Amino acid sequence: MKFIKTTEQDSNYNHLEKMTINQLLNNINIEDQTVPIAVKKSIPQIELLVEQIVYKLKNGGRLFYIGAGTSGRLGILDASECPPTFGVSKELVIGIIAGGDKAIRKAVENAEDSIFQGWTDLQEYNISKKDIVIGIAASGTTPYVISAIENCNLNEIATGCITCNKNSPLSIVSKYPIEVIVGPEFVTGSSRMKAGTAQKLVLNMISTSTMIKLDKIKGNKMVDMQLSNSKLVDRGIKMIINELNISYEEAQFLLEKYKNVRTVLQKQNNGN
């Protein structure tokens, strides 16, 4: 099948500069509403990848996201939120971006075009067969990402991808591809818009479902979250109150003592 970059096709809208602000906002919103529908169509692909991630992480492996530009930043965002949300090590889910950390804030010229650097960046983490790597690229044509995935395959490391074009080079080289076809952007080629939103939704699904399957959630609560501010401490106290049916003061005392909601619940349920 011929590869067509739908993410680069001409917008369904024209003369944007002549639209009122209200028209711009409403038309962007109309386009945005198509994204969850596109993601839903990809759930079978997402499921296959999550199954592999859970298997790898349960057996001592790590999850890597690798991308360039907006895609790389989204991977780093998802990885960085796993430790405070789920109480896991910052070494469990790792985001890598072409151009290094400085590229998080500012574009690094030609970084995404390297066919060697992606694999070099992964090797800095002593990547192995235990791990799994997800390449993120809206176009599915980013050399930095494709070459990294190809090298993972050569070294028997499990691979997946998130892209927004059908049958892209990245999809073809990834063992567990996810393709969310969102179509042309409101501003032609601006894949930080619908494609970026689709990638964020998929990343939310991947990390959240994985962490639930790793027993990082009890009921529907983040019992392993890091208590890094007063809002989260208060949330933790209320979790304990609801679970143990005790006063606010008692719950606060227990949380201050054990520093973790799950630990409090385990101690109290075991009669300690």
Side-chain angles (χ1 to χ4, degrees):
M1 187 179 293
K2 185 178 178 181
F3 172 55
I4 299 173
K5 281 190 188 181
T6 55
T7 54
E8 296 292 330
Q9 288 184 333
D10 207 40
S11 173
N12 295 321
Y13 303 80
N14 205 348
H15 305 301
L16 305 187
E17 72 280 4
K18 295 181 180 179
M19 293 182 184
T20 66
I21 291 174
N22 182 267
Q23 288 172 326
L24 289 168
L25 298 179
N26 274 287
N27 288 332
I28 291 171
N29 181 251
I30 288 168
E31 289 298 301
D32 286 345
Q33 289 179 50
T34 68
V35 177
I37 297 169
V39 171
K40 183 176 181 179
K41 293 177 181 177
S42 301
I43 286 178
Q45 292 181 324
I46 300 169
E47 182 180 7
L48 289 174
L49 180 54
V50 171
E51 286 175 350
Q52 290 302 311
I53 296 168
V54 171
Y55 174 79
K56 290 291 185 179
L57 269 55
K58 281 187 174 181
N59 287 277
R62 298 165 294 174
L63 168 60
F64 288 84
Y65 298 131
I66 187 165
T70 298
S71 297
R73 294 182 190 103
L74 288 169
I76 288 172
L77 174 62
D78 196 70
S80 68
E81 290 178 342
C82 286
T85 305
F86 303 108
V88 297
S89 165
K90 64 181 182 179
E91 308 300 329
L92 186 66
V93 184
I94 298 167
I96 298 174
I97 186 170
D101 284 354
K102 62 183 178 180
I104 297 172
R105 292 182 176 273
K106 186 177 180 180
V108 176
E109 190 173 354
N110 298 324
E112 70 174 50
D113 296 327
S114 172
I115 60 172
F116 305 107
Q117 194 60 45
W119 177 241
T120 299
D121 290 346
L122 285 169
Q123 285 181 300
E124 290 183 8
Y125 292 88
N126 297 314
I127 194 164
S128 74
K129 295 178 185 178
K130 286 186 175 182
D131 303 317
I132 184 165
V133 179
I134 299 176
I136 312 173
S139 67
T141 60
T142 308
Y144 174 87
V145 178
I146 294 170
S147 61
I149 296 299
E150 288 175 331
N151 276 284
C152 287
N153 291 334
L154 290 173
N155 288 273
E156 300 179 28
I157 298 165
T159 58
C161 75
I162 306 170
T163 182
C164 294
N165 283 313
K166 190 75 174 175
N167 299 316
S168 71
L170 180 58
S171 297
I172 291 169
V173 300
S174 300
K175 188 171 182 181
Y176 299 98
I178 296 171
E179 298 170 318
V180 186
I181 313 305
V182 296
E185 296 288 359
F186 181 73
V187 175
T188 299
S190 183
S191 56
R192 70 182 184 87
M193 299 185 76
K194 289 193 298 182
T197 300
Q199 290 172 332
K200 180 66 170 73
L201 290 175
V202 172
L203 288 165
N204 287 348
M205 296 168 80
I206 288 172
S207 56
T208 302
S209 58
T210 294
M211 293 301 160
I212 291 170
K213 287 302 179 182
L214 292 179
D215 297 324
K216 294 300 176 181
I217 297 293
K218 179 177 174 58
N220 57 20
K221 303 296 192 300
M222 298 180 288
V223 292
D224 287 315
M225 65 181 179
Q226 293 177 358
L227 305 173
S228 55
N229 58 51
S230 57
K231 178 190 75 173
L232 297 179
V233 170
D234 185 64
R235 181 185 296 166
I237 290 170
K238 289 175 180 175
M239 287 183 197
I240 295 168
I241 291 171
N242 291 335
E243 189 73 20
L244 301 179
N245 195 27
I246 59 179
S247 70
Y248 188 97
E249 290 72 22
E250 290 175 295
Q252 184 177 26
F253 170 79
L254 290 170
L255 191 57
E256 288 175 355
K257 180 178 180 180
Y258 294 113
K259 312 297 183 185
N260 176 269
V261 174
R262 182 186 294 275
T263 303
V264 170
L265 299 181
Q266 288 176 337
K267 293 286 185 180
Q268 295 305 111
N269 288 332
N270 291 334
N272 294 330

